[in-house]
Each structure stands twice: as C-alpha cells, then as structure tokens.
C-alpha cells in the first residue's frame, strides 16, 4: 500500500495550547481524512476533505487538503484534556484507505 | 447499540493454533473491512468485502482467510498462528466501497505465545 509520512510522531500538550500535525505522501490522493483513536477503541472519523485547497472545520479542529493533493494538516485549537489520543491521517483512492503512522498526543504534566 | 462489534476482545493463544475473530455490523452497510494494527500503531488494510464479495485482498499470508456469510458479518480465520501475528485486529464497515467514513469496531488484541 501507499506510505503516508505523518509528523510529529508524538507531542505533549498543555491545556489551552494549539496543536498542529501534518501528513505527506509521494502519491496523490482523491480524499484526505483525519481519524482519532482513544485507548482500547477503534479510530473515529474527525474530518473528511475532498478538494485540493479545501479548508474544513469541525469545532476546534481545522484541516486542509494540500494544493498538490499530496499533503494535509490538522490543527486543534485551545486543546483540552480529552484531546489526548492517537490522530491518524488517511488518504483514499478508489476503495482503499492508506493510513499514516499516527501522532500520539499526551497531556504534559 | 453497538454499531460494529467484534469478539473476542482479547485472544491469547499458542503458536500453531487456529483461531477465529468474529465481526458484526448493525448499520446496514454493504462494505466491511479487516485491518491489522501493529505494535507501532500502524494500521494496514487486509481485506474488504462488498455484499459478501471480496474486493480488496492485500498481500496477506494464505493462513488468513476472511469469510462473509452475509453482508452484516465478516469473520477472520487464522491458521497456524505465528508470533508475528500478534497485533490488534480491527473490523470496520462503510455504506459502500467508496464511502469515506468507515466505522471501526473496538478491536481484538491477539497475542501469540
């Protein structure tokens, strides 16, 4: 499958901070998606992006579909403790989703 | 009501054994998937079925055999388990194959000793 490079691999946040992560690929995707996985559960879809250049928000989350169709970023504004978890980007072509390796977000003590 | 359910939640078994993981979805979706999540959390598609027909079959050992008795169920049978099969296996479903939103089950943590 196609490999997506997601960064950072992990990050520590303090409540109220803005958080940013991104995903790049050597391949073009028709759709970019962002999922969140809580411990012991399966991933849940946060945002779906369908057009190059598209900027979409879902509450405190904002994501963009890169102009080249090879990248996407996700921002979380004013983070709260329940934002901790693993965030995955995914690109879709035809029937298949290819996932990034995830960004683990942890609350800084 | 659980949308996508998997059983068992945890499975510990010895090398060489044969085991099955069951998945059911009550969303009325046409398409179901199996993913493997390794120890580094990397999620990789294994199989996908649409209306009981196989549409995605990634490079997976023949020891893995999916079976879809109807479109609400997709089971995964694994023969001759190996240490490297230890992972979390997720079942997912979507309304149709091109649908972007996939609904994931809670996962089955398989440990092979």
């Amino acid at each position: 499958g196609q490999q997506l490079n997601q960064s950072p691999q992990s990050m520590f946040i303090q409540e109220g901070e803005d958080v940013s992560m991104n995903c790049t690929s050597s391949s073009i995707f028709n759709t970019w998606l962002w999922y969140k996985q809580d411990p012991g559960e399966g991933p849940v879809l946060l945002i779906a992006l369908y057009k190059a250049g598209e900027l979409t928000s879902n509450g405190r989350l904002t994501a963009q579909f890169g102009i080249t169709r090879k990248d996407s970023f996700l921002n979380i504004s004013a983070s709260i403790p329940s934002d901790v978890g693993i965030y995955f980007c995914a690109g879709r072509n035809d029937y298949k989703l290819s996932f990034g390796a995830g960004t683990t977000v942890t609350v800084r003590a | 009501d659980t949308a996508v359910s998997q059983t068992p939640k945890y499975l510990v078994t010895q090398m060489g054994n044969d085991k099955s993981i069951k998945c059911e979805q009550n969303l009325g979706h046409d398409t179901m998937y199996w993913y493997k999540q390794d120890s580094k959390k990397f999620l990789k598609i294994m199989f996908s079925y649409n209306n009981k027909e196989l549409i995605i079959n990634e490079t997976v050992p023949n020891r893995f055999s999916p079976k879809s008795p109807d479109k609400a169920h997709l089971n995964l049978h694994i023969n001759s388990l190996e240490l490297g099969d230890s992972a979390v296996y997720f079942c997912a479903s979507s309304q149709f194959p091109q649908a972007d939103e996939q609904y994931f089950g809670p996962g089955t943590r398989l440990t092979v000793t």
Side-chain angles (χ1 to χ4, degrees):
Chain A
Q2 294 151 318
Q3 192 74 29
L4 276 67
N5 299 308
Q6 190 171 343
S7 65
Q9 190 175 9
S10 61
M11 62 169 58
F12 292 88
I13 60 168
Q14 278 187 327
E15 194 170 347
E17 279 183 342
D18 294 347
V19 172
S20 214
M21 60 195 79
N22 66 67
C23 208
T24 61
S25 170
S26 56
S27 305
I28 288 173
F29 286 106
N30 295 324
T31 304
W32 279 92
L33 303 141
W34 286 91
Y35 281 82
K36 184 190 178 204
Q37 184 178 14
D38 289 328
E41 296 183 17
V44 174
L45 182 67
L46 297 174
I47 289 183
L49 302 153
Y50 301 103
K51 274 178 59 174
E54 178 183 351
L55 186 72
T56 296
S57 292
N58 178 8
R60 293 178 298 105
L61 307 177
T62 302
Q64 184 155 32
F65 191 145
I67 289 290
T68 64
R69 294 166 62 196
K70 292 182 179 181
D71 63 305
S72 177
F73 72 74
L74 175 71
N75 285 342
I76 308 171
S77 62
S79 55
I80 59 178
S82 62
D83 289 336
V84 301
I86 305 176
Y87 291 80
F88 291 98
C89 62
R92 189 179 68 74
N93 283 330
D94 298 322
Y95 298 160
K96 203 188 307 183
L97 279 185
S98 299
F99 282 84
T103 295
T104 301
V105 175
T106 313
V107 174
R108 187 186 288 135
Chain B
D1 280 348
T2 305
V4 181
S5 58
Q6 294 177 228
T7 54
K9 176 84 171 163
Y10 300 96
L11 184 53
V12 181
T13 189
Q14 291 185 325
M15 281 174 57
N17 284 348
D18 303 338
K19 290 293 178 187
S20 291
I21 307 172
K22 296 187 175 180
C23 179
E24 177 181 0
Q25 54 97 2
N26 63 6
L27 298 167
H29 288 169
D30 285 348
T31 311
M32 296 184 73
Y33 311 81
W34 276 110
Y35 286 86
K36 179 180 180 181
Q37 187 173 47
D38 62 23
S39 57
K40 294 183 179 171
K41 306 298 183 187
F42 186 64
L43 263 170
K44 194 168 189 314
I45 183 77
M46 299 172 68
F47 302 103
S48 176
Y49 272 71
N50 184 55
N51 271 325
K52 301 192 296 175
E53 285 193 27
L54 182 67
I55 59 170
I56 295 176
N57 186 359
E58 288 293 283
T59 309
V60 177
N62 290 341
R63 299 181 294 102
F64 291 78
S65 53
K67 288 213 169 32
S68 182
D70 54 62
K71 72 175 193 177
H73 295 85
L74 180 61
N75 304 323
L76 184 65
H77 189 74
I78 316 170
N79 288 329
S80 303
L81 278 154
E82 301 178 358
L83 293 176
D85 297 332
S86 296
V88 181
Y89 292 84
F90 286 100
C91 176
S93 75
S94 65
Q95 198 167 0
F96 48 87
Q98 298 89 345
D100 294 312
E101 182 148 20
Q102 293 186 13
Y103 293 81
F104 283 78
T108 295
R109 182 174 292 278
L110 172 65
T111 304
V112 183
T113 61

